[in-house]
Each structure stands twice: as structure tokens, then as C-alpha cells.
Amino acid sequence: MPSIQSFFYLIILLSFSLQAQPKKYIIHTIAFYNFENLFDTNNDINTNDDEWTPIGAQHWTEEKYHQKLKNLARVISEIGTPENPNAPTIIGGSEIENRGVLEDLIKEPKLFPYDYGIIHFDSPDKRGIDVALLYQKKYFKPTSFSNIPLLIYKKKELTKEDKKEPDDEIEDKTEIAKDNNRVFTRDQLLITGFLEGEEISIIVNHWPSRSGGEKASSQFREAAGRLNRKIIDSLQRINPNAKVFTMGDLNDGPFNKSVKIALGAKAKKTEVPEFGIFNPFEEMANKGMGTIAFRDSWDIFDQIMMTESIIKPDYSTFTFWKAGIFNRPFLVQNFGQYKGYPLRHSQTEVGFSDHFPVYIYLIKEKL
């Protein structure tokens, strides 16, 4: 038979549980998506976009272009659901031909209600593909933005070993200037603004491709990682508590030198030093997950990383909750040679992208 003391403790526990109110949180989704060849049908004489025209190799018609927009709009509108029923508050994108295609994209019925703003600059990439940021004007107010060039140059000839290495990406060829050996690639887009009153900064990236092979081209992505680190350092000198996100298609996985050494990203929160970088996608890579497949091997080229200031367990301010890869069944090829791969565009079908999108949640206790 229970003692009087036992009943006393039971009453206290019941009283506490009845009085306790569940905490409520504000939640925002931040995402990145490689849109894969988001070209309009017009021939731009300043870029190598000839194949993405009605008479080009892709037979890219207005009908296909608008189907591509519709497909991308569906994906964007669903990223982060069901935990957050709202579409991403902020989404970085790559492989974007110009501002016009983004203006068409945000007018799609599935995206129009979210009233997205656009931040975009043309980059020196010879294919004409750029990075950009879309943001819901209701929640995010940009205060400054700039495109920071990645100035890299080919310094050495390929070794015999490098030349044997397979070309990992056929489409995204690196172009090199004949006069000074400059490697033309995408700028890094830096945006600072206020997310519901809290200042954050975002760097959107599409690092140099693996054209020529992974080892031979690694130096270029390592330079991209160092530039990222330099930008973050400059923001932290101004504000030691700066909340900085870096996101993009890095053409490298979480274990490559560009991410682990040049940027200095860590896989576990407990390993992240003050002013350091946390990469939640490394543990996913350890589990065999991926955003892109090549020769039946998966890797996570698409990542969102953040400064140590965002992972502190202080929910009175926006704090990292968790990350994910958006790989719903409708985004997956379900037959043929590439069964299980992301469902990309082909000669017979307008797909989505050869990359899966990635996302993180930020949460803050609601007062």
C-alpha cells in the first residue's frame, strides 16, 4: 500500500504537469536548391547558352521552360513541410541564367502567395549561370548585398595521374582565360538583413566544378573555401556574435579539403570552437545520404553551414534546430539506368534537377 509520503510526491508531480504549458516556437526554413540549367529560351550572345534555345541541342521550347518553372515552384513550396507548413523564408539558388527567369519563377501560382523578393547579380561564368537569393519580404528585410568575385588562376599543368582521372561533371566545364589563365567561375553572393528583427548574413555559393577531375580542380574549390572563411572572419570582426550562414552547391562533399580545412567546418556541435563553423550535413554523409549521384555513388555537394553563434542552446534568439535533405519520391527517377537518382531534365521529360534541395530550421521561443 502506498505511503502518505508517496501520495504527497504524486500530487506534486500531477500539479506540476497540469500547470506546465507547452512552449511555442517561431520556425523558419532556410533552404538551398541547385535549379539545374534554369535557362529561358532566348539566345544571349554574351554567354554559352546556345543549346538552351528552340534550335539548340536541348530543343528548349517555351512549353518546356514553363514546365520547368512549374516543377521548381512545386519543390520550393514544399521544402521543409510538414514541420513547417510555410515555404522557405529564405532560399539560395544556383544555375540561374538571369534575373528574368527568377521573376518568372516567383510568379508561378505555387509561389506567388509568398511574395518573394530577389537578389541576383550576373557572374563571370561563361555558361551564364549565376547564384541568387529568394526571400519572403514579410519576414526578411535585406540591408546590404554584394557579389564577391572568386579570383583564381590555373597555376600548374596537369600531372599524368590527374589526366587519367575521369571528368566528374560533363556539363559544368571550367573555362580559363588564354591571356592570364584566370578560371571563370561564379561570384559569392553576400547578403545581410533582418529576420524578424534579428540580423543574419548569408553567403550563396556555387563553387568551381570538377571539370578536369576532382584532384586537379580541388585547388579551385579550396580557394573558394578560403574566400568563404575570409568573408565570415570580416563579419565576425565587426560583430563577434554575427550569425552567418554559408550555403550552396560546393562541388565537394563535407569531407573534402575545401570544407574541412579551408573553411574549417566541424561535424559535431561539441567540436565547434568560438567563431567556428558547424556543418550538419557531414553526419548525413556518414550515413550514406546524398544530394547528388554520380556513377552509382552518392555525395552531399549541397550544404548549409553556420557559425557557432547559431548553435548555442539559447532559444530566446533564432537558433538552429535540425537539417534535412528534401528527397520526396516525386523527385526521384523510378526506372531505367538512373533509377533512384534525382529526376533531372532529359530529351523526353522536363524533370526537376540533378540535385536534391537541402534545408535547415531555425526556431525561437515565442513569448
Side-chain angles (χ1 to χ4, degrees), residues 160-174:
K160 289 182 179 179
E161 198 63 33
D162 289 335
K163 288 178 180 178
K164 290 179 183 177
E165 191 181 8
D167 202 353
D168 280 8
E169 251 186 285
I170 296 172
E171 282 190 353
D172 195 7
K173 291 288 187 183
T174 300

Side-chain angles (χ1 to χ4, degrees), residues 5 64 76 127 141 267:
Q5 188 179 34
K64 289 181 177 179
I76 293 169
R127 284 184 62 222
K141 312 293 182 187

Side-chain angles (χ1 to χ4, degrees), residues 34-39 52 60 68 95 127 171 344:
N34 180 322
F35 296 150
E36 194 199 12
N37 294 319
L38 181 53
F39 284 88
W52 296 97
W60 196 237
K68 172 84 169 182
E95 294 205 17
R127 284 184 62 222
E171 282 190 353
R344 64 183 304 183

Side-chain angles (χ1 to χ4, degrees), residues 131-198:
V131 297
L133 191 84
L134 303 179
Y135 62 93
Q136 291 191 38
K137 299 174 188 176
K138 180 180 179 180
Y139 300 111
F140 182 68
K141 312 293 182 187
T143 55
S144 66
F145 41 88
S146 58
N147 57 326
I148 301 169
L150 175 60
L151 299 174
I152 50 178
Y153 301 85
K154 182 183 175 184
K155 293 181 180 179
K156 66 182 181 76
E157 293 298 319
L158 298 182
T159 65
K160 289 182 179 179
E161 198 63 33
D162 289 335
K163 288 178 180 178
K164 290 179 183 177
E165 191 181 8
D167 202 353
D168 280 8
E169 251 186 285
I170 296 172
E171 282 190 353
D172 195 7
K173 291 288 187 183
T174 300
E175 294 211 22
I176 299 172
K178 293 180 180 179
D179 55 349
N180 63 1
N181 279 348
R182 180 182 172 185
V183 178
F184 291 109
T185 189
R186 281 69 61 168
D187 297 334
Q188 296 184 5
L189 176 60
L190 171 63
I191 306 101
T192 295
F194 287 90
L195 176 63
E196 294 208 68
E198 289 191 21

